[in-house]
mmCIF file of all heavy atoms in Angstrom:
data_model
loop_
_atom_site.group_PDB
_atom_site.id
_atom_site.type_symbol
_atom_site.label_atom_id
_atom_site.label_comp_id
_atom_site.label_asym_id
_atom_site.label_seq_id
_atom_site.Cartn_x
_atom_site.Cartn_y
_atom_site.Cartn_z
ATOM 1 N N ASP A 256 9.409 4.693 -4.903
ATOM 2 C CA ASP A 256 9.295 4.770 -3.440
ATOM 3 C C ASP A 256 9.459 6.190 -2.915
ATOM 4 O O ASP A 256 8.815 6.570 -1.944
ATOM 5 C CB ASP A 256 10.322 3.858 -2.762
ATOM 6 C CG ASP A 256 9.946 2.396 -2.841
ATOM 7 O OD1 ASP A 256 8.757 2.095 -3.072
ATOM 8 O OD2 ASP A 256 10.830 1.552 -2.679
ATOM 9 N N GLU A 257 10.315 6.969 -3.534
ATOM 10 C CA GLU A 257 10.559 8.336 -3.079
ATOM 11 C C GLU A 257 9.549 9.322 -3.642
ATOM 12 O O GLU A 257 9.580 10.499 -3.285
ATOM 13 C CB GLU A 257 11.972 8.796 -3.469
ATOM 14 C CG GLU A 257 13.083 8.031 -2.777
ATOM 15 C CD GLU A 257 13.425 6.722 -3.489
ATOM 16 O OE1 GLU A 257 13.404 6.693 -4.722
ATOM 17 O OE2 GLU A 257 13.692 5.732 -2.791
ATOM 18 N N SER A 258 8.665 8.879 -4.521
ATOM 19 C CA SER A 258 7.747 9.786 -5.203
ATOM 20 C C SER A 258 6.397 9.947 -4.531
ATOM 21 O O SER A 258 5.620 10.823 -4.899
ATOM 22 C CB SER A 258 7.525 9.318 -6.647
ATOM 23 O OG SER A 258 8.736 9.367 -7.364
ATOM 24 N N PHE A 259 6.115 9.085 -3.557
ATOM 25 C CA PHE A 259 4.799 9.113 -2.919
ATOM 26 C C PHE A 259 4.921 9.138 -1.396
ATOM 27 O O PHE A 259 5.872 8.625 -0.834
ATOM 28 C CB PHE A 259 3.976 7.889 -3.333
ATOM 29 C CG PHE A 259 3.738 7.793 -4.810
ATOM 30 C CD1 PHE A 259 4.533 6.971 -5.599
ATOM 31 C CD2 PHE A 259 2.739 8.535 -5.422
ATOM 32 C CE1 PHE A 259 4.328 6.886 -6.966
ATOM 33 C CE2 PHE A 259 2.532 8.453 -6.780
ATOM 34 C CZ PHE A 259 3.327 7.629 -7.562
ATOM 35 N N TYR A 260 3.913 9.721 -0.780
ATOM 36 C CA TYR A 260 3.818 9.773 0.674
ATOM 37 C C TYR A 260 2.386 9.402 1.052
ATOM 38 O O TYR A 260 1.437 9.824 0.391
ATOM 39 C CB TYR A 260 4.143 11.190 1.176
ATOM 40 C CG TYR A 260 3.892 11.381 2.639
ATOM 41 C CD1 TYR A 260 4.814 10.940 3.577
ATOM 42 C CD2 TYR A 260 2.710 11.980 3.093
ATOM 43 C CE1 TYR A 260 4.583 11.106 4.939
ATOM 44 C CE2 TYR A 260 2.477 12.144 4.449
ATOM 45 C CZ TYR A 260 3.413 11.696 5.357
ATOM 46 O OH TYR A 260 3.184 11.838 6.693
ATOM 47 N N TYR A 261 2.230 8.610 2.111
ATOM 48 C CA TYR A 261 0.908 8.207 2.567
ATOM 49 C C TYR A 261 0.580 8.935 3.863
ATOM 50 O O TYR A 261 1.308 8.831 4.841
ATOM 51 C CB TYR A 261 0.860 6.694 2.807
ATOM 52 C CG TYR A 261 1.279 5.916 1.585
ATOM 53 C CD1 TYR A 261 2.578 5.435 1.454
ATOM 54 C CD2 TYR A 261 0.384 5.707 0.545
ATOM 55 C CE1 TYR A 261 2.968 4.741 0.321
ATOM 56 C CE2 TYR A 261 0.767 5.017 -0.594
ATOM 57 C CZ TYR A 261 2.067 4.539 -0.704
ATOM 58 O OH TYR A 261 2.450 3.866 -1.830
ATOM 59 N N SER A 262 -0.528 9.680 3.870
ATOM 60 C CA SER A 262 -0.927 10.385 5.084
ATOM 61 C C SER A 262 -1.786 9.469 5.950
ATOM 62 O O SER A 262 -2.286 8.447 5.487
ATOM 63 C CB SER A 262 -1.689 11.665 4.731
ATOM 64 O OG SER A 262 -2.921 11.338 4.131
ATOM 65 N N SER A 263 -1.954 9.845 7.196
ATOM 66 C CA SER A 263 -2.692 9.006 8.144
ATOM 67 C C SER A 263 -4.166 8.860 7.777
ATOM 68 O O SER A 263 -4.823 7.921 8.208
ATOM 69 C CB SER A 263 -2.553 9.557 9.563
ATOM 70 O OG SER A 263 -3.069 10.863 9.627
ATOM 71 N N ASN A 264 -4.710 9.772 6.960
ATOM 72 C CA ASN A 264 -6.114 9.648 6.551
ATOM 73 C C ASN A 264 -6.279 8.808 5.275
ATOM 74 O O ASN A 264 -7.363 8.740 4.714
ATOM 75 C CB ASN A 264 -6.761 11.029 6.380
ATOM 76 C CG ASN A 264 -6.237 11.775 5.165
ATOM 77 O OD1 ASN A 264 -5.382 11.297 4.415
ATOM 78 N ND2 ASN A 264 -6.748 12.976 4.970
ATOM 79 N N GLY A 265 -5.191 8.174 4.831
ATOM 80 C CA GLY A 265 -5.252 7.285 3.677
ATOM 81 C C GLY A 265 -4.976 7.941 2.346
ATOM 82 O O GLY A 265 -4.921 7.263 1.313
ATOM 83 N N THR A 266 -4.788 9.234 2.327
ATOM 84 C CA THR A 266 -4.507 9.938 1.080
ATOM 85 C C THR A 266 -3.085 9.639 0.633
ATOM 86 O O THR A 266 -2.158 9.653 1.439
ATOM 87 C CB THR A 266 -4.673 11.466 1.268
ATOM 88 O OG1 THR A 266 -6.008 11.723 1.694
ATOM 89 C CG2 THR A 266 -4.382 12.227 -0.013
ATOM 90 N N ILE A 267 -2.920 9.378 -0.659
ATOM 91 C CA ILE A 267 -1.587 9.235 -1.226
ATOM 92 C C ILE A 267 -1.239 10.582 -1.863
ATOM 93 O O ILE A 267 -2.047 11.169 -2.579
ATOM 94 C CB ILE A 267 -1.502 8.068 -2.239
ATOM 95 C CG1 ILE A 267 -0.071 7.885 -2.747
ATOM 96 C CG2 ILE A 267 -2.473 8.231 -3.382
ATOM 97 C CD1 ILE A 267 0.136 6.635 -3.590
ATOM 98 N N VAL A 268 -0.063 11.081 -1.554
ATOM 99 C CA VAL A 268 0.370 12.398 -2.004
ATOM 100 C C VAL A 268 1.585 12.217 -2.914
ATOM 101 O O VAL A 268 2.531 11.506 -2.558
ATOM 102 C CB VAL A 268 0.752 13.292 -0.800
ATOM 103 C CG1 VAL A 268 1.242 14.652 -1.257
ATOM 104 C CG2 VAL A 268 -0.428 13.414 0.158
ATOM 105 N N GLY A 269 1.561 12.857 -4.060
ATOM 106 C CA GLY A 269 2.701 12.826 -4.967
ATOM 107 C C GLY A 269 3.714 13.877 -4.580
ATOM 108 O O GLY A 269 3.351 15.008 -4.256
ATOM 109 N N LYS A 270 4.976 13.513 -4.603
ATOM 110 C CA LYS A 270 6.039 14.445 -4.227
ATOM 111 C C LYS A 270 6.606 15.194 -5.424
ATOM 112 O O LYS A 270 7.499 16.022 -5.266
ATOM 113 C CB LYS A 270 7.169 13.705 -3.519
ATOM 114 C CG LYS A 270 6.773 13.143 -2.176
ATOM 115 C CD LYS A 270 7.980 12.492 -1.540
ATOM 116 C CE LYS A 270 7.687 11.946 -0.171
ATOM 117 N NZ LYS A 270 8.879 11.321 0.413
ATOM 118 N N ASN A 271 6.099 14.884 -6.617
ATOM 119 C CA ASN A 271 6.527 15.590 -7.824
ATOM 120 C C ASN A 271 5.373 15.558 -8.821
ATOM 121 O O ASN A 271 4.353 14.898 -8.592
ATOM 122 C CB ASN A 271 7.811 14.978 -8.409
ATOM 123 C CG ASN A 271 7.654 13.498 -8.703
ATOM 124 O OD1 ASN A 271 6.744 13.071 -9.412
ATOM 125 N ND2 ASN A 271 8.548 12.681 -8.155
ATOM 126 N N GLU A 272 5.535 16.283 -9.910
ATOM 127 C CA GLU A 272 4.454 16.407 -10.895
ATOM 128 C C GLU A 272 4.067 15.064 -11.511
ATOM 129 O O GLU A 272 2.878 14.769 -11.679
ATOM 130 C CB GLU A 272 4.880 17.386 -11.998
ATOM 131 C CG GLU A 272 3.763 17.723 -12.957
ATOM 132 C CD GLU A 272 4.201 18.712 -14.033
ATOM 133 O OE1 GLU A 272 4.997 19.627 -13.729
ATOM 134 O OE2 GLU A 272 3.738 18.551 -15.173
ATOM 135 N N LEU A 273 5.047 14.226 -11.824
ATOM 136 C CA LEU A 273 4.750 12.927 -12.420
ATOM 137 C C LEU A 273 3.995 12.028 -11.434
ATOM 138 O O LEU A 273 3.061 11.322 -11.813
ATOM 139 C CB LEU A 273 6.039 12.238 -12.890
ATOM 140 C CG LEU A 273 5.876 10.922 -13.641
ATOM 141 C CD1 LEU A 273 4.978 11.067 -14.864
ATOM 142 C CD2 LEU A 273 7.249 10.383 -14.046
ATOM 143 N N ALA A 274 4.353 12.094 -10.178
ATOM 144 C CA ALA A 274 3.649 11.319 -9.158
ATOM 145 C C ALA A 274 2.207 11.809 -9.020
ATOM 146 O O ALA A 274 1.278 10.996 -8.928
ATOM 147 C CB ALA A 274 4.378 11.410 -7.827
ATOM 148 N N GLU A 275 2.009 13.115 -9.019
ATOM 149 C CA GLU A 275 0.648 13.669 -8.947
ATOM 150 C C GLU A 275 -0.181 13.224 -10.151
ATOM 151 O O GLU A 275 -1.351 12.878 -10.007
ATOM 152 C CB GLU A 275 0.695 15.204 -8.867
ATOM 153 C CG GLU A 275 1.140 15.728 -7.525
ATOM 154 C CD GLU A 275 0.135 15.460 -6.420
ATOM 155 O OE1 GLU A 275 -1.071 15.297 -6.686
ATOM 156 O OE2 GLU A 275 0.567 15.399 -5.248
ATOM 157 N N ARG A 276 0.428 13.246 -11.328
ATOM 158 C CA ARG A 276 -0.286 12.807 -12.538
ATOM 159 C C ARG A 276 -0.630 11.321 -12.439
ATOM 160 O O ARG A 276 -1.716 10.896 -12.823
ATOM 161 C CB ARG A 276 0.555 13.087 -13.777
ATOM 162 C CG ARG A 276 -0.180 12.763 -15.058
ATOM 163 C CD ARG A 276 0.558 13.163 -16.310
ATOM 164 N NE ARG A 276 1.987 13.143 -16.118
ATOM 165 C CZ ARG A 276 2.826 14.072 -16.586
ATOM 166 N NH1 ARG A 276 2.392 15.054 -17.289
ATOM 167 N NH2 ARG A 276 4.119 13.977 -16.368
ATOM 168 N N THR A 277 0.283 10.518 -11.898
ATOM 169 C CA THR A 277 0.036 9.085 -11.726
ATOM 170 C C THR A 277 -1.170 8.862 -10.813
ATOM 171 O O THR A 277 -2.043 8.047 -11.118
ATOM 172 C CB THR A 277 1.294 8.402 -11.145
ATOM 173 O OG1 THR A 277 2.386 8.611 -12.044
ATOM 174 C CG2 THR A 277 1.070 6.911 -10.938
ATOM 175 N N ILE A 278 -1.214 9.597 -9.708
ATOM 176 C CA ILE A 278 -2.334 9.494 -8.775
ATOM 177 C C ILE A 278 -3.641 9.852 -9.476
ATOM 178 O O ILE A 278 -4.655 9.159 -9.333
ATOM 179 C CB ILE A 278 -2.109 10.399 -7.542
ATOM 180 C CG1 ILE A 278 -0.930 9.871 -6.726
ATOM 181 C CG2 ILE A 278 -3.371 10.509 -6.690
ATOM 182 C CD1 ILE A 278 -0.404 10.856 -5.692
ATOM 183 N N PHE A 279 -3.618 10.914 -10.276
ATOM 184 C CA PHE A 279 -4.818 11.364 -10.976
ATOM 185 C C PHE A 279 -5.265 10.342 -12.024
ATOM 186 O O PHE A 279 -6.432 9.942 -12.049
ATOM 187 C CB PHE A 279 -4.563 12.727 -11.634
ATOM 188 C CG PHE A 279 -5.721 13.199 -12.462
ATOM 189 C CD1 PHE A 279 -6.853 13.734 -11.851
ATOM 190 C CD2 PHE A 279 -5.695 13.088 -13.849
ATOM 191 C CE1 PHE A 279 -7.939 14.149 -12.619
ATOM 192 C CE2 PHE A 279 -6.764 13.499 -14.619
ATOM 193 C CZ PHE A 279 -7.896 14.040 -14.002
ATOM 194 N N VAL A 280 -4.346 9.902 -12.876
ATOM 195 C CA VAL A 280 -4.687 8.977 -13.966
ATOM 196 C C VAL A 280 -5.241 7.658 -13.423
ATOM 197 O O VAL A 280 -6.204 7.108 -13.962
ATOM 198 C CB VAL A 280 -3.463 8.721 -14.884
ATOM 199 C CG1 VAL A 280 -3.705 7.568 -15.847
ATOM 200 C CG2 VAL A 280 -3.104 9.989 -15.646
ATOM 201 N N LEU A 281 -4.653 7.161 -12.330
ATOM 202 C CA LEU A 281 -5.084 5.881 -11.758
ATOM 203 C C LEU A 281 -6.163 6.044 -10.681
ATOM 204 O O LEU A 281 -6.635 5.051 -10.128
ATOM 205 C CB LEU A 281 -3.875 5.143 -11.172
ATOM 206 C CG LEU A 281 -2.781 4.773 -12.173
ATOM 207 C CD1 LEU A 281 -1.561 4.235 -11.444
ATOM 208 C CD2 LEU A 281 -3.289 3.774 -13.189
ATOM 209 N N ASN A 282 -6.532 7.286 -10.376
ATOM 210 C CA ASN A 282 -7.523 7.592 -9.340
ATOM 211 C C ASN A 282 -7.173 6.881 -8.029
ATOM 212 O O ASN A 282 -8.010 6.224 -7.404
ATOM 213 C CB ASN A 282 -8.945 7.222 -9.794
ATOM 214 C CG ASN A 282 -10.007 7.844 -8.906
ATOM 215 O OD1 ASN A 282 -9.746 8.778 -8.149
ATOM 216 N ND2 ASN A 282 -11.216 7.297 -8.976
ATOM 217 N N LEU A 283 -5.924 7.028 -7.618
ATOM 218 C CA LEU A 283 -5.433 6.321 -6.436
ATOM 219 C C LEU A 283 -5.966 6.883 -5.122
ATOM 220 O O LEU A 283 -5.762 6.279 -4.071
ATOM 221 C CB LEU A 283 -3.899 6.299 -6.431
ATOM 222 C CG LEU A 283 -3.269 5.500 -7.571
ATOM 223 C CD1 LEU A 283 -1.749 5.574 -7.503
ATOM 224 C CD2 LEU A 283 -3.741 4.054 -7.568
ATOM 225 N N ASN A 284 -6.652 8.016 -5.177
ATOM 226 C CA ASN A 284 -7.288 8.529 -3.970
ATOM 227 C C ASN A 284 -8.793 8.258 -3.978
ATOM 228 O O ASN A 284 -9.574 8.958 -3.321
ATOM 229 C CB ASN A 284 -6.974 10.018 -3.760
ATOM 230 C CG ASN A 284 -5.628 10.205 -3.106
ATOM 231 O OD1 ASN A 284 -5.256 9.435 -2.225
ATOM 232 N ND2 ASN A 284 -4.879 11.196 -3.550
ATOM 233 N N HIS A 285 -9.178 7.228 -4.678
ATOM 234 C CA HIS A 285 -10.568 6.768 -4.659
ATOM 235 C C HIS A 285 -10.924 6.392 -3.217
ATOM 236 O O HIS A 285 -10.078 5.887 -2.476
ATOM 237 C CB HIS A 285 -10.727 5.556 -5.591
ATOM 238 C CG HIS A 285 -12.124 5.071 -5.716
ATOM 239 N ND1 HIS A 285 -12.698 4.213 -4.808
ATOM 240 C CD2 HIS A 285 -13.079 5.330 -6.643
ATOM 241 C CE1 HIS A 285 -13.933 3.950 -5.165
ATOM 242 N NE2 HIS A 285 -14.196 4.619 -6.281
ATOM 243 N N ARG A 286 -12.156 6.615 -2.820
ATOM 244 C CA ARG A 286 -12.579 6.402 -1.428
ATOM 245 C C ARG A 286 -12.265 4.999 -0.915
ATOM 246 O O ARG A 286 -11.887 4.844 0.251
ATOM 247 C CB ARG A 286 -14.050 6.749 -1.248
ATOM 248 C CG ARG A 286 -15.000 5.824 -1.957
ATOM 249 C CD ARG A 286 -16.465 6.283 -1.862
ATOM 250 N NE ARG A 286 -17.332 5.425 -2.622
ATOM 251 C CZ ARG A 286 -17.419 5.385 -3.946
ATOM 252 N NH1 ARG A 286 -16.664 6.176 -4.677
ATOM 253 N NH2 ARG A 286 -18.254 4.557 -4.554
ATOM 254 N N GLU A 287 -12.415 3.970 -1.746
ATOM 255 C CA GLU A 287 -12.125 2.601 -1.299
ATOM 256 C C GLU A 287 -10.646 2.410 -0.997
ATOM 257 O O GLU A 287 -10.283 1.774 -0.007
ATOM 258 C CB GLU A 287 -12.582 1.586 -2.349
ATOM 259 C CG GLU A 287 -14.084 1.464 -2.463
ATOM 260 C CD GLU A 287 -14.499 0.483 -3.548
ATOM 261 O OE1 GLU A 287 -13.758 -0.489 -3.813
ATOM 262 O OE2 GLU A 287 -15.575 0.703 -4.130
ATOM 263 N N LEU A 288 -9.786 2.949 -1.856
ATOM 264 C CA LEU A 288 -8.343 2.830 -1.632
ATOM 265 C C LEU A 288 -7.908 3.653 -0.426
ATOM 266 O O LEU A 288 -7.086 3.201 0.376
ATOM 267 C CB LEU A 288 -7.565 3.252 -2.879
ATOM 268 C CG LEU A 288 -7.764 2.373 -4.110
ATOM 269 C CD1 LEU A 288 -7.041 2.969 -5.309
ATOM 270 C CD2 LEU A 288 -7.296 0.958 -3.839
ATOM 271 N N LYS A 289 -8.453 4.862 -0.299
ATOM 272 C CA LYS A 289 -8.122 5.702 0.866
ATOM 273 C C LYS A 289 -8.523 5.005 2.160
ATOM 274 O O LYS A 289 -7.770 5.006 3.123
ATOM 275 C CB LYS A 289 -8.832 7.057 0.763
ATOM 276 C CG LYS A 289 -8.162 8.030 -0.180
ATOM 277 C CD LYS A 289 -8.897 9.348 -0.247
ATOM 278 C CE LYS A 289 -8.789 10.105 1.046
ATOM 279 N NZ LYS A 289 -9.342 11.467 0.978
ATOM 280 N N LYS A 290 -9.705 4.406 2.161
ATOM 281 C CA LYS A 290 -10.177 3.710 3.360
ATOM 282 C C LYS A 290 -9.255 2.547 3.709
ATOM 283 O O LYS A 290 -8.888 2.359 4.874
ATOM 284 C CB LYS A 290 -11.605 3.201 3.148
ATOM 285 C CG LYS A 290 -12.186 2.523 4.355
ATOM 286 C CD LYS A 290 -13.606 2.054 4.108
ATOM 287 C CE LYS A 290 -14.105 1.343 5.357
ATOM 288 N NZ LYS A 290 -15.323 0.610 5.128
ATOM 289 N N SER A 291 -8.853 1.786 2.711
ATOM 290 C CA SER A 291 -7.952 0.655 2.932
ATOM 291 C C SER A 291 -6.610 1.125 3.501
ATOM 292 O O SER A 291 -6.093 0.551 4.453
ATOM 293 C CB SER A 291 -7.736 -0.101 1.619
ATOM 294 O OG SER A 291 -6.799 -1.129 1.770
ATOM 295 N N ARG A 292 -6.062 2.200 2.934
ATOM 296 C CA ARG A 292 -4.780 2.721 3.419
ATOM 297 C C ARG A 292 -4.918 3.310 4.817
ATOM 298 O O ARG A 292 -4.048 3.124 5.667
ATOM 299 C CB ARG A 292 -4.223 3.755 2.439
ATOM 300 C CG ARG A 292 -3.739 3.155 1.138
ATOM 301 C CD ARG A 292 -2.970 4.158 0.300
ATOM 302 N NE ARG A 292 -3.756 5.299 -0.099
ATOM 303 C CZ ARG A 292 -4.331 5.458 -1.292
ATOM 304 N NH1 ARG A 292 -4.213 4.524 -2.221
ATOM 305 N NH2 ARG A 292 -5.021 6.544 -1.571
ATOM 306 N N GLU A 293 -6.021 4.034 5.072
ATOM 307 C CA GLU A 293 -6.230 4.636 6.394
ATOM 308 C C GLU A 293 -6.333 3.552 7.471
ATOM 309 O O GLU A 293 -5.740 3.679 8.546
ATOM 310 C CB GLU A 293 -7.497 5.483 6.392
ATOM 311 C CG GLU A 293 -7.779 6.152 7.721
ATOM 312 C CD GLU A 293 -9.034 6.999 7.709
ATOM 313 O OE1 GLU A 293 -9.919 6.770 6.859
ATOM 314 O OE2 GLU A 293 -9.123 7.886 8.571
ATOM 315 N N GLU A 294 -7.074 2.486 7.190
ATOM 316 C CA GLU A 294 -7.214 1.386 8.158
ATOM 317 C C GLU A 294 -5.865 0.718 8.418
ATOM 318 O O GLU A 294 -5.533 0.411 9.559
ATOM 319 C CB GLU A 294 -8.234 0.366 7.650
ATOM 320 C CG GLU A 294 -9.663 0.876 7.713
ATOM 321 C CD GLU A 294 -10.669 -0.036 7.012
ATOM 322 O OE1 GLU A 294 -10.266 -1.051 6.395
ATOM 323 O OE2 GLU A 294 -11.874 0.280 7.077
ATOM 324 N N THR A 295 -5.095 0.509 7.361
ATOM 325 C CA THR A 295 -3.767 -0.089 7.508
ATOM 326 C C THR A 295 -2.868 0.824 8.330
ATOM 327 O O THR A 295 -2.179 0.371 9.241
ATOM 328 C CB THR A 295 -3.139 -0.361 6.123
ATOM 329 O OG1 THR A 295 -3.973 -1.261 5.404
ATOM 330 C CG2 THR A 295 -1.744 -0.933 6.245
ATOM 331 N N TYR A 296 -2.865 2.114 8.009
ATOM 332 C CA TYR A 296 -2.037 3.083 8.710
ATOM 333 C C TYR A 296 -2.371 3.085 10.205
ATOM 334 O O TYR A 296 -1.482 2.972 11.060
ATOM 335 C CB TYR A 296 -2.267 4.477 8.110
ATOM 336 C CG TYR A 296 -1.226 5.504 8.482
ATOM 337 C CD1 TYR A 296 -0.269 5.913 7.566
ATOM 338 C CD2 TYR A 296 -1.200 6.078 9.750
ATOM 339 C CE1 TYR A 296 0.684 6.855 7.905
ATOM 340 C CE2 TYR A 296 -0.248 7.019 10.089
ATOM 341 C CZ TYR A 296 0.683 7.408 9.159
ATOM 342 O OH TYR A 296 1.628 8.337 9.494
ATOM 343 N N SER A 297 -3.641 3.205 10.505
ATOM 344 C CA SER A 297 -4.090 3.270 11.899
ATOM 345 C C SER A 297 -3.744 1.989 12.663
ATOM 346 O O SER A 297 -3.188 2.052 13.765
ATOM 347 C CB SER A 297 -5.603 3.509 11.927
ATOM 348 O OG SER A 297 -6.088 3.475 13.237
ATOM 349 N N ARG A 298 -4.066 0.854 12.078
ATOM 350 C CA ARG A 298 -3.819 -0.439 12.742
ATOM 351 C C ARG A 298 -2.329 -0.652 12.997
ATOM 352 O O ARG A 298 -1.924 -1.013 14.100
ATOM 353 C CB ARG A 298 -4.381 -1.573 11.876
ATOM 354 C CG ARG A 298 -4.280 -2.953 12.487
ATOM 355 C CD ARG A 298 -4.886 -4.034 11.594
ATOM 356 N NE ARG A 298 -4.136 -4.202 10.367
ATOM 357 C CZ ARG A 298 -4.587 -3.874 9.154
ATOM 358 N NH1 ARG A 298 -5.787 -3.360 8.995
ATOM 359 N NH2 ARG A 298 -3.839 -4.063 8.085
ATOM 360 N N PHE A 299 -1.522 -0.372 12.002
ATOM 361 C CA PHE A 299 -0.095 -0.651 12.139
ATOM 362 C C PHE A 299 0.598 0.340 13.066
ATOM 363 O O PHE A 299 1.447 -0.041 13.872
ATOM 364 C CB PHE A 299 0.578 -0.681 10.764
ATOM 365 C CG PHE A 299 1.785 -1.541 10.752
ATOM 366 C CD1 PHE A 299 1.670 -2.919 10.713
ATOM 367 C CD2 PHE A 299 3.047 -0.987 10.837
ATOM 368 C CE1 PHE A 299 2.792 -3.727 10.741
ATOM 369 C CE2 PHE A 299 4.176 -1.789 10.865
ATOM 370 C CZ PHE A 299 4.044 -3.164 10.815
ATOM 371 N N ALA A 300 0.243 1.610 12.975
ATOM 372 C CA ALA A 300 0.830 2.613 13.877
ATOM 373 C C ALA A 300 0.495 2.281 15.327
ATOM 374 O O ALA A 300 1.352 2.397 16.210
ATOM 375 C CB ALA A 300 0.338 4.008 13.509
ATOM 376 N N LYS A 301 -0.736 1.845 15.589
ATOM 377 C CA LYS A 301 -1.133 1.469 16.942
ATOM 378 C C LYS A 301 -0.320 0.290 17.458
ATOM 379 O O LYS A 301 0.073 0.268 18.626
ATOM 380 C CB LYS A 301 -2.628 1.127 16.985
ATOM 381 C CG LYS A 301 -3.520 2.330 16.982
ATOM 382 C CD LYS A 301 -4.985 1.926 16.999
ATOM 383 C CE LYS A 301 -5.869 3.145 16.821
ATOM 384 N NZ LYS A 301 -7.292 2.778 16.671
ATOM 385 N N ILE A 302 -0.066 -0.680 16.592
ATOM 386 C CA ILE A 302 0.735 -1.850 16.988
ATOM 387 C C ILE A 302 2.119 -1.403 17.448
ATOM 388 O O ILE A 302 2.610 -1.819 18.502
ATOM 389 C CB ILE A 302 0.847 -2.873 15.839
ATOM 390 C CG1 ILE A 302 -0.497 -3.565 15.605
ATOM 391 C CG2 ILE A 302 1.940 -3.906 16.110
ATOM 392 C CD1 ILE A 302 -0.553 -4.389 14.322
#
């Protein structure tokens, strides 16, 4: 939980080297995942 941060544009950011490697290996910033996170972020923040 402390290793990742989600930006409003849906990007997941690693807070350390292992988190960054995890994002890279799993391709967690793939356009489909970013879009899903961005929509969730926007919808929930607005609520």
Side-chain angles (χ1 to χ4, degrees):
D256 285 340
E257 294 84 38
S258 297
F259 300 98
Y260 172 80
Y261 305 98
S262 67
S263 60
N264 71 0
T266 301
I267 184 172
V268 178
K270 293 183 178 180
N271 56 54
E272 188 179 323
L273 185 56
E275 286 292 335
R276 185 174 29 222
T277 301
I278 293 166
F279 176 77
V280 169
L281 298 172
N282 195 17
L283 295 178
N284 278 322
H285 184 276
R286 68 185 176 287
E287 289 178 30
L288 295 175
K289 281 180 68 173
K290 182 179 178 193
S291 175
R292 289 190 298 260
E293 181 180 22
E294 288 171 356
T295 300
Y296 195 105
S297 175
R298 184 179 66 248
F299 207 77
K301 283 179 187 173
I302 289 169

